[in-house]
Amino acid sequence: MRSTRPTRTRRAAAVALGLLAYLLFAPLPSGATTVPSTWKQISTSGRFTCAIGSNDVAWCWGYGGEGNLGDGSGQSSLTPVPVDTSDQRPSTYKRISVGENNACAIAMDDTAWCWGYGGDGANGKGSVSTELRPAQVDTDGGRPSTYEIGRAHV
């Protein structure tokens, strides 16, 4: 007698199709601009991805439990969400880099901003606080032109 239960392959295909439909048709968060169709830069880790769109706005998606996405929610997202720009945070960026649990970007005015897990001072603020939104890096007056994030540090 043949089983009527779906095979693992069929179940996996159904889950993949459902995820694809969600990614294609999920609404953007309230107040968000349109997700860009082209990207200037993309940086990814094993857990999340951040990118700078053609309009210079920073977007992140994937795991957000440590504030990795920079949108203030502390939640994961299957679709790109814009990085928070409230409270005099930059609205546009020219470089972005992600590590294992945090991200950093250089704004158009050459200031450095980081968000996500801050253990061991990873966000460059002189503290170990986790940041759900971009926090300005203490560069002691310097203006970085480029940088890369490693596993846990800028």
Side-chain angles (χ1 to χ4, degrees):
M1 177 174 201
R2 225 172 134 184
S3 172
T4 59
R5 295 171 61 192
T7 65
R8 286 185 184 171
T9 303
R10 286 184 186 154
R11 281 188 297 230
V15 169
L17 285 173
L19 177 59
L20 180 60
Y22 176 83
L23 290 173
L24 291 174
F25 302 110
L28 287 175
S30 173
T33 58
T34 303
V35 176
S37 59
T38 59
W39 303 93
K40 289 184 173 183
Q41 183 196 358
I42 297 176
S43 182
T44 190
S45 74
R47 305 179 88 185
F48 72 108
T49 299
C50 291
I52 297 176
S54 55
N55 58 356
D56 299 321
V57 173
W59 297 76
C60 296
W61 59 95
Y63 176 73
E66 302 284 348
N68 313 38
L69 306 186
D71 66 342
S73 73
Q75 301 293 313
S76 298
S77 177
L78 296 175
T79 58
V81 294
V83 171
D84 190 313
T85 60
S86 66
D87 299 326
Q88 300 180 358
R89 288 179 182 87
S91 58
T92 56
Y93 294 89
K94 57 183 172 181
R95 300 268 307 144
I96 198 162
S97 182
V98 302
E100 184 176 343
N101 289 308
N102 70 327
C104 294
I106 298 176
M108 290 300 191
D109 66 358
D110 292 324
T111 55
W113 297 77
C114 293
W115 56 91
Y117 179 72
D120 300 316
N123 287 330
K125 293 182 40 198
S127 72
V128 295
S129 63
T130 291
E131 301 293 336
L132 298 179
R133 295 174 173 84
Q136 191 166 3
V137 174
D138 180 6
T139 59
D140 202 23
R143 301 280 187 183
S145 60
T146 188
Y147 61 89
E148 293 295 325
I149 296 181
R151 181 171 181 263
H153 292 85
V154 176

